[in-house]
Amino acid sequence: MVNLIWLFMLLAGVAAGIVTGRADEVTAAVFSASSEAVKITIEIIGILGLWLGLLKLAEASGLVKSLARLTAPLARWLFPDIPKDHPAFSSIVMNLGANLLGLGNAATPFGLKAMEQLQSLNPQKDTATFSMITFLALNTACITLIPATVLALRVQAGSRSPTETVIATIFASCCGCVFAVFLDRFCRRKFSGKI
């Protein structure tokens, strides 16, 4: 559906440019925006590479397993139907850690791995478990402490104060995460009769 909306907007813009006699401006804008998109993408690869490298070091050093043990009480409450010491906990911690750092692209592989591991515990393969739903809610509305990708884009765009959005990001993501957990608990209680 979103693709159709984008396609409609694109075609409407091109049509408006042709009707108003500004087709040459539309063409120039397309090439300019394409060039700028490639430039920004290449420039933020270094920053994303740094954070991805740090995440890999944390995983290889055992820091992730330590964090998983440290957050075990919260994880047990959020995911009561996952067996203790299941590998899904490590994948969930890595995913949420990447999201905490604002690295949505880095979080995706860990999220896919966590869902795969959660699916291995699922007795009904065509229906999501409560743990899968909880994880999806947390992944979508995770607290972001360091919006690294946004900061990188703001720096590349020449912002004079690229960090001015950090406090607002932390506040908004905390509100979203608390609401997601509350709604998850409410729905779990309503549809299963247990927490």
Side-chain angles (χ1 to χ4, degrees), residues 173-193:
S173 63
C174 284
C175 290
C177 188
V178 167
F179 182 74
V181 170
F182 170 77
L183 190 60
D184 176 68
R185 295 288 104 176
F186 174 78
C187 290
R188 187 179 285 218
R189 177 181 289 160
K190 181 174 172 101
F191 294 110
S192 75

Side-chain angles (χ1 to χ4, degrees), residues 66-168:
S66 298
L67 283 174
R69 272 187 246 116
L70 183 67
T71 59
L74 178 61
R76 300 282 341 133
W77 179 73
L78 289 170
F79 305 100
D81 41 349
I82 299 177
K84 189 177 180 182
D85 297 327
H86 192 275
F89 279 122
S90 293
S91 298
I92 289 170
V93 167
M94 286 297 287
N95 174 271
L96 297 179
N99 278 324
L100 280 170
L101 297 174
L103 300 168
N105 293 338
T108 301
F110 298 117
L112 293 172
K113 185 69 173 170
M115 278 296 193
E116 179 183 305
Q117 292 164 336
L118 291 172
Q119 180 68 358
S120 71
L121 298 170
N122 189 354
Q124 295 179 306
K125 301 300 183 191
D126 62 340
T127 304
T129 64
F130 284 119
S131 290
M132 294 169 105
I133 294 167
T134 301
F135 175 64
L136 183 62
L138 285 174
N139 181 49
T140 304
C142 187
I143 296 171
T144 303
L145 298 178
I146 304 169
T149 304
V150 172
L151 291 174
L153 289 171
R154 288 177 58 86
V155 166
Q156 296 306 325
S159 173
R160 290 184 184 187
S161 181
T163 59
E164 70 184 3
T165 61
V166 171
I167 300 299

